Each structure stands twice: as C-alpha cells, then as structure tokens.
C-alpha cells in the first residue's frame, strides 16, 4: 500500500511517524518546504518526499490531507488525473460539511472521501513538534456519507486505531460541525475576545491563574482559524448567539442583585461540568 500524506505539519508529521508498518505501507509526503521533507526522511517518518503534490499522490492507495481545508480541496482538484482508481482520501480538517460537499462534487466515481478529524493537538505547530504519541487515547471523528463504500470507512477506522486513537466516533458532517463549533471554535472565540479586551493590559499581577487558563488557546494560527470560522459560519454563529444569551442571563441577574438566580445558574453549570466533562 502506498500512503500519501499531504502536509507535514504537527498532525501530518505525527500521523507519518505512527503509520510505519500499517499494511506494509510505503509513505510518500508532500510539503511546501524541502527542508522539512529531508528531516522527515532522516527521521524515518516517510520513505519519499516531494515539493510537488502530484508526485506524492501518483499511485497512492490512501491519501491523507493535512493542510487547510480550501488548500486540501485545491490540491485534489488540481491533481484529479493523478488519483488512482479506488483510492481512498481522508483528511484531518476541523470542518466537515465544507470538505464533503467540495470533494464529492469533483471526485471520480471510483474514488472515496472519508471525512475525519482526530481530536488531538499541541500549543506548538510544525513538523518539529510532531510526535508518535500525539494520538494516544484521543478521539477520532469520522463522517462517511451515503456515497462512501463500507470498506473505505473500515480502512480509516483501522488507521485511527493503528495510530493510537481510543474513541472512534462516526457522525454526520452536519453534526460534527455543530458540536465542534461549541467544543473547539467557540472556545477560541472566547479566548480571543478576552484578549481583545483592554483590561488585559492591566491584569498582569491580578490573576491567580484563571485568566491564563481561559486564554490558553488565544495564541492562535490566525490564517487557519479565520478560515475554519468562515467555513463553519452558520453553526459557529448559532453557538455565539447561545453564548450571548447565557451571558445576558448572568448580566441581568448581576444588575438586579439577584443572588438566588446566580446561584441557580452556577449550580447548574457545576452539575453539567461534573456530569459531562470530568475525566
């Protein structure tokens, strides 16, 4: 089996490191910077590296797209003639409706796309930050459609297990985007909003840790996250509206000195946290 990894950043590099031995595969990779390819080959993460995606894709049985969503789509569109018949394509993008809709419009009949999203990451990026332990115990979300062949879904599920993912969840592209808009994108919105507040300039010695915790993800890849926000604008807008409603409810209680309502809101939040988010 030939596997092509398109993009050797944190996620692509970590997948490459962990896939060694999967179906006795050879691993080819595309990356824009030649130096990264040399380093990955030296590490034994890949067998061959190319600065032309067509060379990596040529003859690949499995193609793993690890770039920004629109760039992933563009690369496949520009290299349709290099796709092997019955090839399986998957990705690691944080939006799924966009990827499914765009790729299923252009893919040949014999090529399958299985949308995927490994729920793993670090606060640092790039191949140099990749590790063969990144996915250990992680969740792996899959969004096959009616068009997807069962054997293609089975292959991606097998790959997810092989790289160390523990919880493999099959869902729809719409459900994925609705929930990710809350669990991931809204968290980045909140962190960015907190750091956009001028009060941060006066806060250096006034926080015991909560501000730092709440703004952890504000150190952000602006190019990638702005694209993700826009590509999931309907669902993210709903989550922002819901957040504003919650904030308004709290603000009203504060303005009215309504401790009883505030306590009820806090007790409900504590209950929800303990029920759903305790490890």
């Amino acid at each position: 089996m030939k596997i092509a990894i398109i993009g050797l950043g944190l996620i692509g590099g970590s997948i490459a490191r962990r896939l060694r031995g999967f179906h006795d595969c050879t691993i080819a990779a595309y990356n824009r910077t030649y130096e990264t390819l040399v380093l990955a080959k030296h590490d034994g993460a890949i067998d061959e590296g190319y600065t032309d995606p067509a060379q990596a894709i040529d003859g690949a049985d499995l193609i793993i797209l690890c770039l920004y969503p629109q760039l992933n789509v563009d690369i496949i569109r520009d290299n349709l003639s290099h796709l092997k018949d019955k090839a399986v394509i998957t990705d690691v993008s944080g939006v799924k409706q966009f990827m499914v809709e765009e790729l299923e419009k252009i893919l040949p009949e014999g090529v399958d796309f299985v949308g995927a999203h490994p729920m793993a990451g670090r606060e640092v990026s790039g191949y140099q930050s990749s590790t063969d332990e990144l996915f250990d115990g992680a969740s792996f979300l899959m969004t096959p459609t009616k068009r997807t062949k069962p054997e293609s879904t089975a292959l991606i599920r097998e790959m997810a297990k092989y790289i160390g993912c523990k919880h493999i969840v099959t869902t729809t592209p719409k459900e994925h985007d609705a929930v990710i808009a809350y669990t991931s994108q809204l968290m980045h919105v909140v962190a960015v909003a907190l750091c956009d507040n001028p009060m941060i300039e006066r806060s250096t010695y006034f926080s015991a840790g909560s501000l730092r915790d709440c703004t952890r993800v504000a150190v952000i890849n602006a190019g990638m996250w702005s694209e993700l926000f826009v590509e999931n604008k309907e669902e993210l807008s709903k989550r922002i509206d819901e957040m504003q409603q919650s904030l308004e409810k709290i603000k009203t209680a504060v303005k009215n000195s309504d401790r009883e309502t505030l306590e009820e809101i806090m007790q409900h939040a504590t209950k929800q946290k303990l029920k759903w988010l305790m490890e």
Side-chain angles (χ1 to χ4, degrees):
M1 170 184 282
K2 177 183 175 180
I3 297 177
I5 298 178
I6 308 302
L8 280 181
L10 171 66
I11 302 297
S14 296
I15 290 174
R17 290 177 184 276
R18 195 61 179 263
L19 271 182
R20 181 61 64 196
F22 182 69
H23 284 264
D24 196 27
C25 67
T26 59
I27 301 175
Y30 159 77
N31 202 71
R32 182 175 55 84
T33 56
Y34 178 73
E35 294 77 11
T36 296
L37 295 168
V38 172
L39 181 58
K41 191 169 182 180
H42 179 267
D43 289 345
I46 64 173
D47 296 297
E48 298 296 338
Y50 305 98
T51 55
D52 178 359
Q55 292 179 280
I57 290 170
D58 239 354
D61 302 283
L62 173 60
I63 301 166
I64 306 171
L65 303 173
C66 301
L67 300 173
Y68 296 2
Q70 184 62 62
L71 189 52
N72 285 332
V73 173
D74 292 343
I75 283 179
I76 293 300
R77 179 183 289 113
D78 293 343
N79 292 280
L80 290 174
S81 63
H82 294 275
L83 296 176
K84 182 178 180 179
D85 185 41
K86 298 183 180 178
V88 177
I89 302 174
T90 190
D91 75 322
V92 299
S93 305
V95 291
K96 292 276 78 82
Q97 288 191 91
F98 172 83
M99 289 297 298
V100 168
E101 290 170 5
E102 293 299 308
L103 286 178
E104 289 195 345
K105 281 191 282 189
I106 63 174
L107 286 178
E109 187 65 30
V111 177
D112 261 1
F113 174 65
V114 185
H117 187 190
M119 301 305 296
R122 301 178 67 188
E123 291 177 41
V124 287
S125 60
Y127 175 79
Q128 293 86 342
S129 302
S130 64
T131 167
D132 59 5
E133 299 177 348
L134 185 66
F135 307 107
D136 286 351
S139 297
F140 188 93
L141 311 179
M142 297 174 54
T143 60
T145 67
K146 293 179 180 178
R147 171 177 165 164
T148 312
K149 293 187 286 291
E151 54 267 33
S152 300
T153 302
L155 175 65
I156 303 307
R157 179 179 291 274
E158 183 185 3
M159 183 197 78
K161 291 180 179 178
Y162 193 86
I163 65 175
C165 295
K166 183 177 180 181
H167 305 287
I168 302 172
V169 179
T170 300
T171 185
T172 65
K174 181 173 178 59
E175 177 70 2
H176 170 278
D177 288 0
V179 180
I180 288 297
Y182 169 71
T183 62
S184 178
Q185 294 178 351
L186 184 62
M187 302 305 108
H188 287 78
V189 168
V190 171
V192 167
L194 286 169
C195 291
D196 190 46
N197 189 321
M199 284 298 294
I200 196 171
E201 299 169 17
R202 299 161 57 186
S203 68
T204 304
Y205 300 109
F206 287 76
S207 173
S210 56
L211 179 62
R212 185 173 289 105
D213 291 344
C214 288
T215 57
R216 181 179 63 83
V217 295
V219 180
I220 195 168
N221 180 332
M224 180 183 75
W225 282 97
S226 61
E227 180 179 337
L228 293 173
F229 284 5
V230 170
E231 287 164 351
N232 198 27
K233 60 185 179 182
E234 292 184 7
E235 295 297 342
L236 180 55
S237 294
K238 292 177 185 176
R239 302 294 86 80
I240 293 173
D241 286 343
E242 292 160 0
M243 182 73 173
Q244 289 174 327
Q245 290 168 14
S246 294
L247 289 172
E248 282 297 323
K249 184 167 59 174
I250 294 169
K251 186 176 83 170
T252 298
V254 170
K255 289 180 70 173
N256 293 336
S257 300
D258 186 352
R259 286 188 58 186
E260 182 178 351
T261 296
L262 285 170
E263 288 179 12
E264 288 175 358
I265 293 170
M266 292 174 186
Q267 288 166 358
H268 176 70
T270 299
K271 181 180 178 182
Q272 292 293 86
K273 163 72 175 180
L274 294 175
K275 181 178 180 181
W276 297 110
L277 298 179
M278 295 302 289
E279 296 183 5

